[in-house]
């Protein structure tokens, strides 16, 4: 079974700071997912990537398949970015194995 | 707009009662999933279904049951056999096959009275 580790578990930043969240996994994969969980509990899929880098607005996700590592960056962070960010990797079939999440708080 | 609807948002159960959580999707997805989330822990898979009238146990299926009579609906019943049912429950759906993004509902928070 793939073990998924995220770091840090908690992160506090001032508005405008650059934020990096890391995700490592133990078994080779074809793609990795980054999800955002809002304070109310709902989850939104941010990225699914299999190589290189993807960018959406102020969010950038990178993956290094050889090193089994992915990072999620938030540029010019804003209080509305406060959420839990979760990485997930495929298990058998379409199932996912999830990391424990990184709780991000951006202070104004 | 297409999406996943979970209801209710908050649910309270008395000891010994079964309760059913609703999950409906209008995304025409074949696959649907139920996850449980506990404070400080990652999501864990309870049950999943690849197709109508078929479903499979996930990692923590004991004390839960599901049905998939319609493509759009995948209700989860938390039975009295589930000894620690207080948690946040999330439903998701996706296309089946290859790497597919999963679309999530807003969740149901279940508490024991």
């Amino acid at each position: 079974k793939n073990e998924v580790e995220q770091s840090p578990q908690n992160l506090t930043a001032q508005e405008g700071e650059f934020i990096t969240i890391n995700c490592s996994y133990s078994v080779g994969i074809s793609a990795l997912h980054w999800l955002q969980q809002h304070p109310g509990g709902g989850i939104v899929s941010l990225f699914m990537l299999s190589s290189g880098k993807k960018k959406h607005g102020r969010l950038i996700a990178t993956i290094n398949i050889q090193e089994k590592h992915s990072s999620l960056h938030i540029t010019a962070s804003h209080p509305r970015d406060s959420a839990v960010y979760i990485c997930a990797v495929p298990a058998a079939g379409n199932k996912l194995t999830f990391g424990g999440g990184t709780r991000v708080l951006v202070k104004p | 707009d297409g999406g996943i609807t979970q209801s209710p948002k908050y649910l309270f159960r008395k000891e010994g009662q079964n309760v059913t959580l609703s999950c409906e999707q209008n995304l025409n997805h074949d696959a649907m999933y139920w996850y449980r989330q506990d404070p400080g822990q990652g999501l864990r898979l309870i049950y999943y279904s690849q197709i109508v009238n078929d479903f499979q146990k996930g990692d923590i299926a004991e004390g839960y049951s599901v049905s998939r009579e319609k493509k759009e609906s995948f209700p989860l019943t938390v039975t009295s056999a589930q000894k620690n049912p207080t948690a946040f429950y999330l439903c998701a759906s996706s296309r089946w096959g290859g790497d597919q993004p999963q679309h999530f509902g807003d969740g149901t928070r279940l508490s024991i009275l």
Side-chain angles (χ1 to χ4, degrees):
Chain A
K1 183 179 176 179
N2 217 337
E3 301 295 330
V4 183
E5 298 288 336
Q6 284 186 238
S7 64
Q9 287 187 317
N10 296 282
L11 185 158
T12 300
Q14 289 297 132
E15 183 173 355
E17 288 185 342
F18 183 83
I19 291 171
T20 294
I21 302 166
N22 297 300
C23 177
S24 298
Y25 50 93
S26 57
V27 178
I29 59 171
S30 52
L32 181 141
H33 302 250
W34 280 103
L35 311 169
Q36 179 191 53
Q37 185 169 29
H38 297 295
I43 290 180
V44 173
S45 180
L46 296 175
F47 296 103
M48 186 177 71
L49 69 166
S50 55
S51 66
K53 178 167 69 175
K54 283 191 175 181
K55 184 175 188 290
H56 181 70
R58 294 178 294 103
L59 300 177
I60 302 169
T62 64
I63 189 168
N64 185 318
I65 294 292
Q66 287 74 28
E67 295 187 2
K68 298 185 179 64
H69 180 269
S70 176
S71 293
L72 177 68
H73 306 284
I74 306 175
T75 63
S77 60
H78 189 277
R80 64 175 173 267
D81 297 324
S82 298
V84 176
Y85 294 85
I86 302 168
C87 69
V89 301
N94 274 40
K95 294 183 290 182
L96 294 175
T97 299
F98 297 84
T102 296
R103 186 174 300 275
V104 172
L105 174 64
V106 181
K107 293 183 175 181
Chain B
D1 287 338
I4 296 183
T5 301
Q6 287 188 243
S7 61
K9 192 168 179 65
Y10 299 95
L11 189 56
F12 300 92
R13 191 191 94 169
K14 293 182 180 179
E15 294 282 352
Q17 274 186 340
N18 292 354
V19 290
T20 297
L21 284 59
S22 170
C23 178
E24 303 278 332
Q25 55 101 357
N26 60 4
L27 298 166
N28 199 32
H29 286 164
D30 289 311
M32 296 187 74
Y33 316 80
W34 274 106
Y35 297 99
R36 171 180 170 138
Q37 187 177 39
D38 294 283
Q41 293 192 36
L43 279 73
R44 293 182 290 169
L45 182 66
I46 305 172
Y47 269 98
Y48 67 102
S49 169
Q50 301 175 33
I51 196 169
V52 174
N53 292 324
D54 184 62
F55 47 84
Q56 306 294 329
K57 292 182 178 180
D59 299 320
I60 54 166
E62 185 175 350
Y64 299 98
S65 66
V66 293
S67 62
R68 187 85 186 276
E69 297 177 0
K70 298 186 300 182
K71 189 175 185 177
E72 301 80 19
S73 179
F74 191 40
L76 173 74
T77 297
V78 183
T79 75
S80 57
Q82 171 51 241
K83 297 306 178 189
N84 186 21
T86 297
F88 188 61
Y89 292 88
L90 282 154
C91 178
S93 72
S94 75
R95 294 177 180 166
W96 187 259
D99 293 310
Q100 301 288 348
Q102 292 190 12
H103 297 254
F104 289 82
D106 287 335
T108 293
R109 193 167 299 279
L110 175 62
S111 301
I112 299 301
L113 291 177

